[in-house]
Amino acid sequence: MKQRKVPIRKCIACGNTQDKRELFRIVRSPEGEVSLDPTGKKNGRGAYLSKDKACIEKARKKNLLAKHLNVDVDERIFIEMLSLIGEETNGEQQ
Ligand SMILES: [Zn+2]
């Protein structure tokens, strides 16, 4: 039986290694801009997070993305990830 090789990456929140497709890639561009990278092809320093509410919330509360990417991470990134997995944020709506 042939096994397909899939890229495996590690979630910065739970530390589990997962199929890359099951993770969000968040990238810091050379200009210092942080964005989600749905294609996995953007240049820059990347961090991976499970497509899971618990991991996203953990990263948000503990500021893991900012630590990992060594740059301030806008709250919008987390809101965007939560909305992509179909979760509402607990944050106050403006
Ligand atoms: Zn995780």
Side-chain angles (χ1 to χ4, degrees), residues 11 14 50 55:
C11 168
C14 64
S50 313
C55 289

Side-chain angles (χ1 to χ4, degrees), residues 11-16 18 23 48-52 54-56:
C11 168
I12 60 166
C14 64
N16 289 341
Q18 286 174 281
L23 298 154
Y48 292 87
L49 261 183
S50 313
K51 290 180 177 171
D52 183 274
C55 289
I56 296 167

Side-chain angles (χ1 to χ4, degrees), residues 3 8-9 11 21 32 35 45 50 57-58 60 66 89:
Q3 269 204 312
I8 299 294
R9 295 292 183 273
C11 168
R21 288 167 302 187
S35 60
R45 188 184 169 114
S50 313
E57 293 287 2
K58 185 178 172 187
R60 186 186 196 174
T89 57

